[in-house]
Amino acid sequence: MTDTAIATAFAWEALDSRGKPTVACEITLRDGSTGQVTVPSGASTGRHEARELRDGGLRYDGNGVRDAVGNVNTVLAESVRGIDSLDQPQVDAALRAADGSDDLGRLGANAVLAVSIGTAIAAAAAQHLPLYRTVDDTGRAPLLPLPMVNILSGGAHAGRSIDIQDFLVVPMSATSFSDAIEICSRVRRGATQVLAERDLPVALVADEGGLGPILPSNRSALDVMVAAIERAGFTPGADAAIAIDVAATQFHTAGDYVLAAENGRRLTSTELIDELVAWSGDYPIVSLEDALAEDDWHGWALATARLGGVQLLGDDLFVTNERRLRRGVADGVANAVLVKPNQIGTLTDARSVVAIAHAAGYRTVLSARSGETEDSWLADLAIGWRTGQIKVGSTMRSERTAKWNRLLRLEAELGDSAEYAGAAAITTAPHPVVSAL
Ligand code: 2PG
Ligand code: MG
């Protein structure tokens, strides 16, 4: 047995940024190296995601994770003991085998992810290397990602004040990561000023640190975005563009899309696409996430045909799942994939989704969850996997800034030895390598 073999996995129940319980875990290797992780969790989860284990019952309104914690401390710890932490695929295969179910719902995807990521962090510590280097299998220069930053929230992240879940800013003219963050931060401040002038509340923030104003319509959020960009002194489109996470699964009911914030206006797939086409003509929109619901493959194909000029990003649609992504690629659906490690449960599976996407010419956006933690490993994964883009919420609240600050540090430290992805990451698709599929 090597010194980098896993000795113990020790888990406990912690809290995420929404005050909900989540699994925290420390992996210890035989040489004494440790890796600590606290796993994130979503609010607008897709039906096809790996399944978190929650206790039910009275504690935390049923959201306790003591069973998942117990599973780490017993069966999962046992399943990985003695495996070399440097062999992440073997560790993840052992975790999958221990669970035995497709969606990891037996022992809990939250339990499995804790051991998977904790192992990667411990392995980096054992090698005295930063995580972005030990997860890098590309052999290329580290790539700092283009950020997309949440400004306005609705849907499940803001008490459904509007139906669309997220309006984000994309810093198009920045030539470095730090300049990009500055643009986003100034637009966030601009949005506060614009809303305050309209006597809308700005003191309370939504789950991801964005503003959650009650607006007369979904479209009016786009007017606020443009006003915020201008208020910050930027030119909409050229300096700062708009990305939207429609999160359409959330308001898809009985085959229709129902906009509760607009007096229950009902739209078919085609009508929702018409609306998005109109928005894209009237506003500088560069990315549309979950434009249609998770199983509306037909609608998605129509959307791709009509809106393929912008980034069409599948979140609930692909759920970081290789099978669903391959179906999308085969059917020509979407052109980008949102990657959330906890949607699939292991680091190895998330990594292979990034590789498959790039081979197919699909862009990748690494993403945090609405329920986040103080961890920063997501920043390292974005750099090491060269995802090109990252989304972690607003430029405020510590669970968000933990990731931005890690990227800012790495930018400062790496200097010229790192590249910055820039706006090209969202406007140009990677070259497909069809033979790799
Ligand atoms: C999303 C994420 C992050 P949640 O839908 O993309 O914004 O939200 O974690 O609630 O799924
Ligand atoms: Mg989403």
Side-chain angles (χ1 to χ4, degrees):
M1 213 183 284
T2 62
D3 279 356
T4 47
I6 296 173
T8 59
F10 164 61
W12 62 99
E13 187 179 67
L15 294 180
D16 71 20
S17 57
R18 303 165 303 184
K20 266 173 85 170
T22 189
V23 179
C25 167
E26 183 167 74
I27 301 293
T28 304
L29 309 184
R30 280 168 52 94
D31 70 358
S33 303
T34 59
Q36 186 179 314
V37 60
T38 310
V39 304
S41 168
S44 69
T45 47
R47 200 159 65 87
H48 304 285
E49 291 192 21
R51 205 150 55 83
E52 296 175 335
L53 194 61
R54 300 268 175 197
D55 298 335
L58 292 177
R59 291 186 67 250
Y60 288 107
D61 300 318
N63 287 308
V65 292
R66 283 187 177 164
D67 288 346
V69 162
N71 291 337
V72 172
N73 289 333
T74 54
V75 50
L76 289 175
E78 196 51 47
S79 73
V80 295
R81 193 189 323 277
I83 299 179
D84 192 341
S85 64
L86 271 46
D87 190 349
Q88 187 80 39
Q90 200 197 337
V91 172
D92 289 341
L95 293 170
R96 265 202 185 278
D99 180 275
S101 68
D102 199 38
D103 63 7
L104 301 176
R106 197 176 76 81
L107 300 175
N110 41 357
V112 168
L113 187 75
V115 180
S116 181
I117 306 252
T119 297
I121 294 171
Q127 296 168 84
H128 305 288
L129 289 170
L131 183 64
Y132 77 87
R133 282 197 50 197
T134 55
V135 297
D136 176 10
D137 51 12
T138 69
R140 298 176 62 192
L143 183 67
L144 290 154
L146 172 74
M148 54 168 77
V149 167
N150 173 284
I151 303 293
L152 301 177
S153 285
H157 293 171
R160 300 187 194 281
S161 46
I162 44 177
D163 306 283
I164 306 292
Q165 183 176 285
D166 295 299
F167 292 86
L168 307 100
V169 63
V170 183
M172 304 299 281
S173 61
T175 54
S176 69
F177 180 76
S178 44
D179 285 352
I181 287 295
E182 186 200 342
I183 291 179
C184 298
S185 173
R186 286 170 61 183
V187 172
R188 173 65 172 76
R189 203 172 131 74
T192 308
Q193 292 166 346
V194 166
L195 293 179
E197 275 160 20
R198 298 181 190 185
D199 286 330
L200 287 163
V202 292
L204 298 176
V205 297
D207 279 354
E208 302 195 359
L211 294 152
I214 297 179
L215 296 169
S217 67
N218 290 288
R219 184 186 251 266
S220 60
L222 288 162
D223 294 323
V224 173
M225 288 296 292
V226 168
I229 291 168
E230 286 171 342
R231 175 55 60 93
F234 298 117
T235 306
D239 293 322
I242 299 171
I244 302 179
D245 183 359
V246 181
T249 307
Q250 292 281 315
F251 54 89
H252 191 234
T253 335
D256 279 335
Y257 295 90
V258 182
L259 302 177
E262 297 183 19
N263 299 317
R265 188 153 73 95
R266 292 187 91 87
L267 303 174
T268 62
S269 295
T270 314
E271 287 165 346
L272 178 57
I273 295 166
D274 288 343
E275 186 96 13
L276 296 172
V277 168
W279 290 1
S280 301
D282 295 345
Y283 300 91
I285 294 169
V286 289
S287 178
L288 289 168
E289 177 180 337
D290 280 355
L292 282 305
E294 57 198 352
D295 289 316
D296 187 357
W297 289 93
H298 181 67
W300 263 102
L302 286 176
T304 310
R306 293 189 58 197
L307 286 155
V310 300
Q311 173 164 275
L312 288 175
L313 185 53
D315 173 12
D316 291 351
L317 176 73
F318 294 138
V319 289
T320 317
N321 181 307
E322 179 175 333
R323 274 198 309 274
R324 291 184 68 88
L325 177 58
R326 284 188 191 279
R327 175 172 174 186
V329 170
D331 293 357
V333 159
N335 55 32
V337 54
L338 198 78
V339 178
K340 293 167 166 169
N342 87 323
Q343 273 181 331
I344 192 66
T346 72
L347 208 55
T348 304
D349 288 316
R351 175 66 187 107
S352 75
V353 161
V354 172
I356 290 163
H358 289 172
Y362 276 43
R363 284 157 263 191
T364 51
V365 183
L366 196 66
S367 173
R369 300 303 309 240
S370 50
E372 260 302 324
T373 79
E374 54 272 38
D375 288 5
S376 64
W377 44 264
L378 200 76
D380 286 68
L381 298 186
I383 293 181
W385 291 351
R386 295 179 61 91
T387 60
Q389 297 177 60
I390 190 169
K391 167 178 111 161
V392 308
S394 181
T395 43
M396 55 184 70
R397 291 184 46 147
S398 303
E399 78 279 7
R400 314 288 151 191
T401 55
K403 284 77 166 168
W404 301 135
N405 289 343
R406 172 76 179 151
L407 289 165
L408 288 167
R409 178 203 159 137
L410 290 176
E411 177 188 56
E413 199 174 286
L414 290 167
D416 288 346
S417 62
E419 294 168 39
Y420 169 57
I426 208 164
T427 54
T428 336
H431 289 300
V433 188
V434 177
S435 59
L437 282 176

